[in-house]
Amino acid sequence: MCGIIGYVGQATSSRPLEVARQALARLQYRGYDSAGIVVANQEGLSFVKRAGKLSALEEALAESPLPAASAAIGHTRWATHGGPTDQNAHPHLSQDGSVAVVHNGILENHQALRDELVEAGVEFQSQTDTEVAAHLLARAYQELGDLPDAMRATARRLEGAFTLLAVAQDNPHLVVGARRTSPLVVGLGEGENFLGSDVAAFVACTDQALELGQDQVVTITPDAVAVTDFGGNAIEPRRFTIDWDASAAVKGGFETFMDKEIHDQPDAVRDTLLGRMTPSGQMQLDELRVDEALLRSVDKIVVIACGTAAYAGHVAKYAIEHWCRIPVEVELAHEFRYRDPVVTAKTLVVAISQSGETMDTIMAIRHAREQGAKVVAVVNTMGSTIARESDAALYTHAGPEVAVASTKAFLAQITATYLLGLYLGQLRGTMFPDEIRAILSELEKMPDRIRQVIEGEDVIRQLAVQMKDATSVLFLGRHVGYPVAMEGALKLKELAYIHAEGFAAGELKHGPIALIDEGQPVFVVVPSPRGRDILHDKVLSNIQEVRARGARTLVVAEEGDNAVREFAEQIFWVPQAPTLLAPLVAVVPLQIFACALASAKGLDVDQPRNLAKSVTVE
Ligand code: M6R
């Protein structure tokens, strides 16, 4: 969690402050408990920091503006050690004021270091783990006289996950960063350079970037970037071009980012499909740099992910097993990591992540690779840790997703895993070429179908407003409708703070049906009647079962499915689509519902309480 930005330029101007402010606005999804900026000029360091959302920092800056400068570092916080107060907000300065730092991650040995520093006479100003780094860095700087050397010496003393950025009072043309496990990327400008938690921090200023690896220290000046390991050995980082459109990270006339990102979904799916098929209808996944012989010999796929990304994995399981006849397990990354999973060189691990920085998923990837498995990442953020640490990255092209609640990334993840499944089906010969072509052609129709659902959003929004005082909502689904139900429940929990649960409809009679009482709202995701009859009929029976016990049934059904009419209090029609592809349309009404209900309750849709977009701590 936490978003950080570093900037250095040639001139002394307001640009460092502006770059930092804009970057923090784009990084706010990483945490919004407090924010702060420190700028460096010939006079030294000046900073402002405030608890609360960025608006609190903006108000403080309006009252006491920061001076023109040549460098700046900034931070938006998701609190771990120490509450969300002004004192605990970053930057943290050393006792002598010689250096300022911002930090993302958790310093696991902070207490021992704090005790040592207190013993040496340091007076702490905050309850954070970060502050030890400021004092250690200042001491090392005093001793070594060189900020990058001091950063390396400090980094060697720290345990845990960290990205640290620092500026020094006596060198306003230098920003130094260190990274272990937490993310950091470099943006390359002309006469200016940037450091950011992810490329969203500086994509408005440059599309050229450098990846940084584990245990590296980076020094940026206006004209140069130098990277070393913690021992001081020079490293040549990989350069890449960011293909995100910077304008995608603004609301573009919508009230919230989430609204906008829901409307971006047809494009996210279309862009993820682009270029994956040859003119002759053959699947091509150029990025899949895993040996084809190995992909043919894989005997199990394990999908690891968290939250919404894990639900995309559940959808993938149904499709990949059906198309490729390979067993697919889906596991929450944190459970996978600390179990003792059976993973061999014949296991293909598919890690799904929007941010590419989810720590639970990173740790699970490392664990899987240590066991000899190959890891393919389905990831949205270029240059992210997950993309870098996996054997291959299959990028989703959803563009920047800013709202904490994932929407377009989810649809793009599902799309990418379909592509992976079709590719494996082609490679392993479990599918006929014409079958693959038929599915691809259906996939190409999905953006229009999603658009159609979005165009009908008013009915869903009206229902959401009527239901704003609901205290519990249940979601039922079978087969691919089951992960859709779980995703619908997750959206409602995280956005509207309403108790919500998603169940496999068949599980109802094994306990959850006891929750049904007069008026209990139950969303039911109905499979296509054109798919397996048995699936459709079973879900209709489930609707009747809850209805008989007083439930208010709100049904997502395929256009033309007249059989549902008599059992549903309200129906949200979605266009016809093949059963396995239907989650791409079925989930959209549930996203719109949660978003509209949260807005009707007056809640902050883009930044729900207690959450951050990238969960970069375990
Ligand atoms: O960046 P990732 O896709 O790895 O994030 C995984 C989850 O933290 C994320 O999907 C989370 O569940 C969202 N808030 C859901 O809307």
Side-chain angles (χ1 to χ4, degrees), residues 543-566:
I543 304 180
Q544 293 173 68
E545 285 156 12
V546 293
R547 218 166 182 236
R549 287 158 179 86
R552 179 174 180 199
T553 48
L554 312 160
V555 168
V556 178
E558 191 179 272
E559 278 163 1
D561 183 2
N562 291 322
V564 296
R565 285 184 193 273
E566 66 175 295

Side-chain angles (χ1 to χ4, degrees), residues 306-309 352-358 361 386 404-406 413 487 490-491 494 611-615:
C306 299
T308 291
I352 307 180
S353 175
Q354 187 286 128
S355 61
E357 300 297 348
T358 299
T361 310
I386 288 179
V404 164
S406 189
Q413 285 160 353
E487 173 62 3
L490 176 61
K491 290 284 91 88
E494 67 180 332
L611 294 173
K613 181 124 187 99
S614 315
V615 183

Side-chain angles (χ1 to χ4, degrees), residues 78-302:
W78 187 83
T80 56
H81 293 61
T85 61
D86 284 355
Q87 264 179 338
N88 290 334
H90 300 214
H92 291 282
L93 273 79
S94 57
Q95 188 155 309
D96 60 3
S98 63
V99 297
V101 302
V102 294
H103 166 225
N104 170 25
I106 292 179
L107 303 179
E108 282 166 4
N109 59 340
H110 74 98
Q111 193 56 52
L113 293 170
R114 194 179 183 108
D115 293 346
E116 178 190 313
L117 287 159
V118 168
E119 181 86 356
V122 173
E123 283 177 25
F124 276 76
Q125 305 298 318
S126 75
Q127 289 83 50
T128 62
D129 52 340
T130 305
E131 198 183 333
V132 296
H135 300 307
L136 285 176
L137 182 67
R139 287 167 167 248
Y141 190 30
Q142 206 172 25
E143 187 188 325
L144 302 168
D146 177 77
L147 195 62
D149 279 347
M151 182 61 101
R152 284 185 276 271
T154 304
R156 288 195 296 267
R157 296 216 54 203
L158 301 175
E159 288 168 16
F162 53 87
T163 299
L164 277 173
L165 297 191
V167 280
Q169 189 185 33
D170 60 0
N171 194 344
H173 290 287
L174 188 75
V175 176
V176 179
R179 92 159 276 220
R180 167 177 288 162
T181 306
S182 296
L184 185 63
V185 279
V186 184
L188 302 172
E190 288 189 11
E192 58 182 8
N193 285 307
F194 309 81
L195 294 171
S197 310
D198 63 49
V199 295
F202 48 71
V203 68
C205 305
T206 178
D207 65 355
Q208 293 303 302
L210 298 176
E211 280 182 5
L212 291 178
Q214 183 69 335
D215 287 4
Q216 294 184 356
V217 166
V218 55
T219 306
I220 59 167
T221 60
D223 303 307
V225 175
V227 182
T228 70
D229 62 18
F230 285 177
N233 302 301
I235 283 170
E236 194 58 48
R238 193 183 78 85
R239 187 172 175 138
F240 64 99
T241 301
I242 307 160
D243 67 0
W244 278 0
D245 175 2
S247 66
V250 293
K251 286 185 197 158
F254 288 92
E255 252 174 52
T256 63
F257 276 109
M258 185 171 175
D259 267 319
K260 171 175 185 285
E261 288 161 7
I262 287 172
H263 285 78
D264 281 347
Q265 294 189 113
D267 291 345
V269 170
R270 189 204 56 208
D271 293 348
T272 301
L273 288 171
L274 274 181
R276 314 290 199 173
M277 193 175 37
T278 65
S280 63
Q282 285 272 311
M283 286 289 305
Q284 55 174 15
L285 292 182
D286 292 340
E287 316 101 294
L288 218 62
R289 296 180 307 261
V290 181
D291 179 36
E292 288 192 0
L294 187 130
L295 290 177
R296 275 193 206 97
S297 69
V298 159
D299 61 9
K300 179 170 79 168
I301 293 177
V302 180

Side-chain angles (χ1 to χ4, degrees), residues 310-373:
Y311 298 143
H314 281 278
V315 175
K317 173 183 167 75
Y318 289 92
I320 297 177
E321 284 189 340
H322 183 73
W323 292 334
C324 308
R325 313 308 302 153
I326 312 174
V328 180
E329 293 170 9
V330 186
E331 189 151 9
L332 293 168
H334 35 90
E335 286 298 315
F336 173 87
R337 169 68 185 85
Y338 295 105
R339 200 164 56 80
D340 188 9
V342 180
V343 171
T344 69
K346 284 191 160 190
T347 308
L348 179 68
V349 169
V350 177
I352 307 180
S353 175
Q354 187 286 128
S355 61
E357 300 297 348
T358 299
M359 186 56 70
D360 291 313
T361 310
I362 293 172
M363 298 312 274
I365 290 172
R366 290 182 186 159
H367 187 64
R369 294 190 78 196
E370 278 162 18
Q371 317 295 307

